[in-house]
């Protein structure tokens, strides 16, 4: 989601007087002086029409850089890439037992779903068991649902989509159900000083191994806080999601392991809850690589990928790692994000052969003319370099 003033998309405004309640921000990192390399070229009959620049980094759970391109210290806002970590707050509070949550419901709370009927039914079931009302969801409705067929059907039937069809309604449900469980007033769960927000913020801080009062925050398009980290920090967090038990017992992140394992497994088992049934790369990647990765996109062309331990295409066995992929221009067409994400997984030794053929439409996205002819295609052209010996692990 884009992040203008939250009032632009129907979300509740955050009053200026609440600004003092925001957690103190970490000192912003200096803006990168590195010119981002070209990752994807848009070609029309071999003529370069435009390019997408960006940065990519792969890291292990301890922050050791493995491969990448560009600036691993480029600062990004997590946007929806934060969602898998935020679900920890509800799980640690006892939400699974309290509300009899199913894996698909856990997955949809970590999602940026397309607003299809299967997503709506899944969320509604949680609210019925929790004795909560979906009218509390304060996401707004601008541009929703993401699924064009669902949007067309609603328009045909004269039905206005409700906030439950917003791609962030699952994330907001974490805060609403947590409020229900703890006996907190859920009406203004979206405010930064609400105890549910404080709890959510706390688990994000733990996942990224930073004190909550040092988090750098901003307001996301759905009205909740989002958090800023460097790409290397995002990759390290996704490595933790891939193998929560990989950190030592003395590591502050170790306490997250039970909940993160539940979230990871729920996402892997329910890929269509993470995106949707049509043209969602996160879903398509996880279906093409069952049990191997968790993929989660965020707006402005950020993607976090948790790569589980196992064989790589070069025949080696590799520990769990995380990747962070960022397209500099925000990639309004998706083509740069799609092509760079698939190519990154090819070069990391996760995708090849039949799996790559399955993902071909994402690897080289095409633009068609009105007669069904290919007019242009997006081509990923980059080489990830080994980073560990070049840049160190910190």
């Amino acid at each position: 989601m884009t992040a203008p003033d939250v009032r632009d998309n129907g979300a509740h405004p955050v009053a200026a007087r609440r600004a003092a309640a925001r957690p103190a921000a970490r000192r912003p990192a200096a803006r990168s002086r590195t010119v981002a390399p070209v990752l994807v070229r848009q070609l029309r009959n071999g003529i370069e029409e435009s390019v997408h620049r960006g940065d990519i980094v792969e890291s292990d759970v301890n922050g050791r850089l493995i491969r990448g391109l560009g600036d691993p210290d480029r600062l990004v806002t997590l946007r929806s890439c934060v969602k898998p970590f935020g679900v920890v707050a509800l799980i640690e509070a006892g939400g699974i037992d309290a509300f009899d949550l199913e894996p698909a419901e856990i997955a949809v709370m970590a999602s940026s779903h397309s607003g299809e009927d299967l997503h709506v039914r899944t969320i509604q079931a949680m609210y019925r068991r929790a004795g909560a009302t979906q009218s509390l969801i304060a996401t707004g409705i601008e541009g929703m649902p993401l699924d064009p067929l669902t949007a067309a059907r609603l328009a045909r039937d004269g039905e206005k989509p409700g906030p439950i069809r917003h791609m962030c309604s699952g994330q907001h449900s974490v805060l609403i159900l947590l409020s229900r469980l703890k006996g907190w007033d859920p009406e203004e769960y979206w405010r930064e000083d609400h105890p549910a927000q404080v709890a959510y913020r706390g688990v994000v801080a733990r996942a990224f191994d930073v004190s909550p009062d040092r988090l750098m925050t901003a307001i996301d398009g759905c009205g909740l806080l989002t958090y800023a980290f460097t790409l290397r920090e995002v990759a390290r967090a996704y490595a933790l999601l891939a193998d929560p038990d990989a950190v030592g017992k003395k590591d502050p992140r170790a306490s997250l392991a039970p909940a993160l394992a539940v979230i990871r497994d729920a996402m892997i088992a329910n890929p269509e809850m993470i995106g949707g049934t049509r043209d969602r790369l996160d879903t398509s990647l996880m279906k093409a690589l069952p049990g191997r990765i968790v993929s989660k996109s965020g707006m402005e062309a950020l993607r976090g990928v948790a790569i589980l331990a196992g064989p790589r295409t070069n025949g080696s066995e590799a520990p769990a790692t995380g990747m962070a992929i960022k397209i500099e221009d925000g990639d309004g067409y998706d083509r740069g994000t799609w092509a760079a994400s698939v190519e990154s997984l090819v070069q990391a030794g996760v995708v090849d052969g039949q799996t790559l053929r399955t993902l071909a439409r994402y690897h080289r996205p095409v633009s068609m003319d009105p007669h069904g002819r290919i007019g242009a295609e997006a081509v990923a052209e980059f080489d990830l370099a080994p980073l560990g010996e070049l840049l160190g692990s910190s």
Side-chain angles (χ1 to χ4, degrees):
M1 298 165 13
T2 55
D5 186 302
V6 291
R7 288 167 288 190
D8 290 350
N9 73 350
H12 294 281
V14 178
R17 66 178 180 273
R18 297 286 182 177
R22 295 181 186 173
R26 293 181 294 158
R27 183 182 299 277
R31 183 175 179 179
S32 175
R33 297 180 183 275
T34 303
V35 176
V38 173
L39 301 181
V40 178
R41 302 179 188 276
Q42 177 75 353
L43 303 177
R44 190 173 298 273
N45 194 28
I47 302 165
E48 183 179 281
E49 291 191 311
S50 58
V51 299
H52 298 282
R53 296 179 179 272
D55 306 277
I56 302 167
V57 63
E58 182 181 7
S59 165
D60 69 12
V61 73
N62 295 313
R64 183 179 67 88
L65 300 182
I66 298 168
R67 60 176 59 85
L69 186 64
D71 185 2
D73 291 313
R74 189 173 295 275
L75 190 68
V76 296
T77 50
L78 286 176
R79 308 298 294 273
S80 291
C81 290
V82 75
K83 292 176 179 178
F85 305 100
V87 183
V88 170
L90 180 60
I91 292 177
E92 289 190 337
I96 292 178
D97 290 338
F99 303 127
D100 195 23
L101 296 176
E102 298 290 335
E105 295 164 342
I106 294 169
V108 82
M109 287 190 286
S111 80
S112 296
H113 63 75
S114 292
E116 299 172 62
D117 289 350
L118 79 160
H119 304 120
V120 170
R121 288 193 298 267
T122 301
I123 295 171
Q124 287 175 332
M126 292 192 300
Y127 279 74
R128 284 195 297 270
R129 292 198 305 277
T133 172
Q134 68 188 51
S135 65
L136 290 166
I137 300 172
T139 56
I141 59 172
E142 183 182 354
M144 301 297 150
L146 291 181
D147 179 58
L149 294 184
T150 301
R153 190 195 78 220
L154 295 176
R156 181 199 65 200
D157 296 342
E159 181 181 345
K160 183 179 180 180
I164 197 169
R165 291 195 186 270
H166 193 287
M167 62 179 170
C168 295
S169 62
Q171 179 189 23
H172 283 238
S173 297
V174 172
L175 300 162
I176 293 170
L177 295 188
L178 183 58
S179 297
R180 177 72 174 168
L181 180 60
K182 292 290 190 177
W184 300 325
D185 183 355
E187 286 291 336
E188 294 187 336
Y189 69 86
W190 49 270
R191 289 197 179 275
E192 298 160 22
D193 56 352
H194 191 280
Q197 284 269 11
V198 174
Y200 196 101
R201 204 153 56 234
V203 297
V204 173
R206 287 164 58 201
F208 285 82
D209 195 16
V210 63
S211 173
D213 63 359
R214 300 295 293 169
L215 285 168
M216 191 184 307
T217 66
I219 298 177
D220 208 337
C222 65
L224 300 182
L225 286 182
T226 188
Y227 308 88
F229 293 98
T230 64
L231 286 175
R232 70 164 76 210
E233 291 173 305
V234 177
R236 185 182 70 155
Y238 270 81
L240 178 67
L241 179 62
D243 188 357
D245 292 318
V247 296
K249 293 182 179 179
K250 294 183 179 180
D251 191 305
R253 299 172 293 163
S255 61
L256 296 166
L260 281 180
V262 169
I263 295 161
R264 175 201 63 197
D265 293 346
M267 295 175 77
I268 287 173
N270 297 276
E272 290 183 343
M273 287 296 167
I274 306 308
T277 62
R278 290 176 282 270
D279 284 331
R280 297 301 303 275
L281 179 56
D282 289 332
T283 294
S284 295
L285 284 173
M286 289 193 285
K287 290 179 73 173
L289 295 157
R292 290 286 289 118
I293 69 166
V294 172
S295 177
K296 184 68 199 75
S297 62
M299 287 299 286
E300 297 303 320
L302 177 67
R303 172 166 279 104
V305 183
I307 305 171
L308 278 65
R312 300 287 175 107
T313 56
N314 63 3
S316 67
E317 289 284 328
T321 62
M323 293 191 84
I325 303 153
K326 169 66 176 174
I327 300 296
E328 186 177 58
D329 59 27
D331 194 27
Y333 293 97
D334 283 332
R335 64 195 182 207
T337 307
W338 286 0
S341 295
V342 176
E343 179 62 21
S344 295
L345 290 170
V346 170
Q347 294 190 33
V350 181
V351 170
D352 71 351
Q354 181 56 43
T355 303
L356 183 56
R357 289 188 284 275
T358 300
L359 296 168
R361 67 192 180 97
Y362 298 107
H363 191 210
R364 292 179 75 122
V366 299
S367 301
M368 309 296 288
D369 82 346
H371 310 289
R373 298 175 297 182
I374 295 176
E377 61 180 350
V379 180
E381 292 185 354
F382 59 86
D383 292 305
L384 298 182
L387 292 179
E389 67 269 21
L390 299 177
L391 299 175
S393 61
S394 61

